[in-house]
Amino acid sequence: MTPKFFEKQSARREMLRNSAAFAGSALLAQLFPASLLNAGVPALRQQAATPPTDSLVLMRAQMGNVPIQSQPLAENLTLLSGPGGNVVVLNGPDGKIVVDTFLMPAWPKLKENLDGLGNAPLKTVIDTHWHVDHNR
């Protein structure tokens, strides 16, 4: 059974009414603080308070132990391959520009590799995509 909203609209007026209702609810969701939602849905509070499982902690520790391999691509351009994909580093005189980051547990090793590429500070990080477990 399909919801009525997804059925073919019979009139332009009905389509406009449904679109306005959808846009209005999206606006209201931005205006009200999340604490109101948390107060109204106790299961969300319980889920947020639940500690991570042992398997999640173990997986993060394993990801932090994956070695990072460095491969020069050009004079000031380096590819770092490791946990969660690849990182490209442009090492210029004003600082380093990094495209993507590894998973969060690998940050200490990534920082060591970035420091090993030169004394220039980390100036910019460009994330091409987002995951909850990536560095910010």
Side-chain angles (χ1 to χ4, degrees), residues 9-53:
Q9 303 296 323
S10 59
R12 181 173 178 254
R13 188 172 293 171
E14 188 176 351
M15 188 237 1
L16 290 173
R17 186 180 321 121
N18 288 339
S19 297
F22 180 72
S25 62
L27 176 65
L28 287 175
Q30 295 296 317
L31 293 177
F32 289 107
S35 59
L36 287 178
L37 177 63
N38 290 339
V41 185
L44 287 178
R45 278 182 285 151
Q46 182 181 5
Q47 184 180 15
T50 305
T53 62

Side-chain angles (χ1 to χ4, degrees), residues 63-64 66-69 78-83 85-89 96 98-117 122 125 127 134-136:
M63 288 300 227
V66 173
I68 296 174
Q69 298 173 351
T78 305
L79 172 68
L80 301 175
S81 299
N86 297 317
V87 172
V88 177
V89 182
K96 296 179 183 92
V98 176
V99 178
D100 285 331
T101 58
F102 293 125
L103 301 172
M104 196 175 303
W107 173 247
K109 286 187 179 181
L110 176 59
K111 179 77 168 107
E112 285 177 23
N113 278 275
L114 290 175
D115 291 342
L117 294 176
L122 178 62
V125 174
D127 281 324
H134 282 218
N135 291 322
R136 292 172 188 80

